[in-house]
Amino acid sequence: MAKISVIIPIYNNAAYLPKCLDSLLTQSFQDFEGILVDDGSTDGSAIICDEYLKKDSRLKVYHIQNQGVSHARNVGIEKATGEWISFVDSDDWITLDFLATLYGNIDENTDVVMGSLFFNIGEKEITRTCSKPCIRKKDFPSYPLAALVPDCSRADGLFVYMEILSSACNKLTRKSLLDSHHIRFNEKMFLNEDGLFHLMCYLKAKDFVIIETPVYHYRIRMNSSNQRFLPDVHHQNVIVSKAFSDFAKELPNNICSDFISLCSYRMYLNTMALYIEHPQNEKSLINKCRYLDKELDSGLYAISSIPHHLGHLKRMELKALQRHWCTILFALNRIRMLKNKVSF
């Protein structure tokens, strides 16, 4: 039985898959099994999986009908035999010491350990890390809020990039934690599903550890699943809202209201990025404003409180969401988009 099970869900990523698999097979920590779940690929990814299966006995390949990344990850969890679980996306890659670094930061009380990230956009690479070499659960009570908006980590005198907490990858998670608390990916969700999964892990964990060492290369592509044009984003937001509201019932009362408000803010960001302001949306600005006004009237984006440690721009956005100021929201959104573009 391998110490670590590395689960790679795969769907039509033939162009990037070899680099991903090579980065796994050359790990300095070798006591692992690689579980490749081919989610009904049609571009040759399935053939690549089978070719790599012949190269290394540590790999296992499962070909399934296409049912989405959450189902593929859940299949991987069920097939895993390792004491620890890690996820790698098939268009990303990991550093040589990814497994060794994470495993080396485990103690008997640790249920989750997470490393920092490299973001790769074409030839550009930037680092997403945290403000201390090592952060533990007891030092970070605001983690549920920081998993939605990174500014909230400042409440604990820290700064942790949201993606470190919310990404499905860059982590080792104790499999017994998942099994004893029946934690699995919500297969109805394809937005924010990885963040919800790990929030459930953090809540139930005895302890978690965040390290500042970047260990995971996250490839950003405009045609990836979390960047695509999504005209039916409202329907997905309804599912996300219900799932996060159910989770919020287990949170301490002192952060529950802020958590729900930040969930509403994340859904608003989904709507703006994946539909209203997406490059493929050819509607006029007036029609976009009308759509947003209708969305705000739906109640999905209700803001009951504004956390104190948010940056000025985000506080303005939440205030505008509270009051349904569509014109101001468009202006603030475009400022944020420009800032994000400059940061890369």
Side-chain angles (χ1 to χ4, degrees):
M1 181 184 299
K3 187 66 70 176
I4 300 172
S5 296
V6 181
I7 298 168
I8 306 179
I10 299 157
Y11 181 70
N12 288 356
N13 266 325
Y16 305 106
L17 184 56
K19 182 168 186 174
C20 173
L21 296 180
D22 288 341
S23 73
L24 174 62
L25 296 183
T26 54
Q27 285 294 293
S28 59
F29 183 101
Q30 298 188 12
D31 189 7
F32 69 86
E33 60 176 359
I35 299 178
L36 316 186
V37 184
D38 166 38
D39 189 28
S41 296
T42 58
D43 71 335
S45 293
I47 295 172
I48 294 172
C49 289
D50 292 338
E51 289 175 347
Y52 271 80
L53 179 63
K54 298 173 185 176
K55 295 181 180 181
D56 199 306
S57 61
R58 293 173 298 180
L59 296 182
K60 301 175 182 177
V61 175
Y62 299 93
H63 299 287
I64 63 174
Q65 291 185 342
N66 178 247
Q67 296 184 60
V69 66
S70 291
H71 178 74
R73 287 171 177 158
N74 286 339
V75 169
I77 294 171
E78 298 304 321
K79 301 294 185 182
T81 62
E83 181 182 351
W84 294 87
I85 296 285
S86 185
F87 299 100
V88 175
D89 285 344
S90 59
D91 54 348
D92 298 336
W93 70 99
I94 51 181
T95 63
L96 176 67
D97 296 321
F98 171 76
L99 295 178
T101 300
L102 295 181
Y103 192 77
N105 281 275
I106 291 169
D107 61 31
E108 62 181 10
N109 291 318
T110 304
D111 287 322
V112 185
V113 57
M114 58 197 99
S116 296
L117 297 160
F118 296 107
F119 274 20
N120 295 89
I121 309 173
E123 297 300 316
K124 284 188 177 181
E125 180 174 279
I126 61 173
T127 304
R128 289 287 189 254
T129 186
C130 53
S131 58
K132 291 185 177 180
C134 181
I135 298 170
R136 291 190 172 272
K137 184 176 181 178
K138 64 181 176 60
D139 303 316
F140 195 13
S142 66
Y143 73 84
L145 306 181
L148 299 172
V149 177
D151 304 36
C152 295
S153 59
R154 294 192 177 101
D156 302 320
L158 306 168
F159 188 80
V160 180
Y161 275 97
M162 178 186 72
E163 295 86 358
I164 294 174
L165 293 163
S166 62
S167 171
C169 310
N170 75 297
K171 299 172 176 68
L172 290 183
T173 303
R174 198 181 295 272
K175 188 172 189 289
S176 60
L177 177 76
L178 304 181
D179 292 340
S180 61
H181 295 285
H182 310 290
I183 299 173
R184 294 295 187 270
F185 288 90
N186 185 326
E187 296 186 14
K188 295 179 181 179
M189 294 171 60
F190 54 85
L191 294 177
N192 310 118
E193 76 287 348
D194 38 7
L196 178 62
F197 174 88
H198 284 293
L199 278 170
M200 292 188 289
C201 293
Y202 306 148
L203 184 68
K204 301 299 184 182
K206 291 180 184 177
D207 195 11
F208 61 68
V209 180
I210 306 170
I211 61 172
E212 66 176 351
T213 306
V215 293
Y216 189 93
H217 288 271
Y218 179 76
R219 190 192 303 270
I220 297 178
R221 299 183 291 129
M222 279 306 297
N223 62 344
S224 65
S225 60
N226 57 357
Q227 304 283 337
R228 70 184 183 277
F229 186 46
L230 192 63
D232 193 27
V233 67
H234 175 88
H235 176 69
Q236 182 62 198
N237 276 339
V238 171
I239 297 171
V240 172
S241 177
K242 173 67 166 58
F244 275 88
S245 295
D246 288 344
F247 171 78
K249 296 173 184 176
E250 299 191 58
L251 294 177
N253 291 334
N254 65 320
I255 66 169
C256 189
S257 177
D258 284 351
F259 181 83
I260 293 296
S261 292
L262 292 180
C263 287
S264 297
Y265 176 61
R266 295 305 310 176
M267 287 185 290
Y268 158 75
L269 294 180
N270 289 342
T271 299
M272 294 301 282
L274 301 179
Y275 179 58
I276 294 178
E277 290 282 62
H278 194 280
Q280 289 180 240
N281 190 344
E282 298 178 351
K283 290 184 178 181
S284 67
L285 182 58
I286 290 175
N287 284 332
K288 289 179 179 180
C289 284
R290 287 172 179 165
Y291 179 88
L292 178 58
D293 189 53
K294 182 180 177 181
E295 278 291 288
L296 296 180
D297 287 338
S298 72
L300 270 178
Y301 312 93
I303 305 295
S304 59
S305 63
I306 300 178
H308 297 301
H309 289 84
L310 293 183
H312 185 60
L313 178 62
K314 293 186 180 70
R315 289 182 63 81
M316 290 176 65
E317 283 188 295
L318 266 68
K319 179 68 72 175
L321 275 173
Q322 276 185 324
R323 302 192 179 186
H324 294 197
W325 291 340
C326 289
T327 303
I328 293 176
L329 285 169
F330 268 93
L332 295 173
N333 185 69
R334 293 189 177 188
I335 291 171
R336 181 166 35 76
M337 290 169 63
L338 181 61
K339 288 178 65 177
N340 289 343
K341 185 175 182 180
V342 169
S343 70
F344 285 113

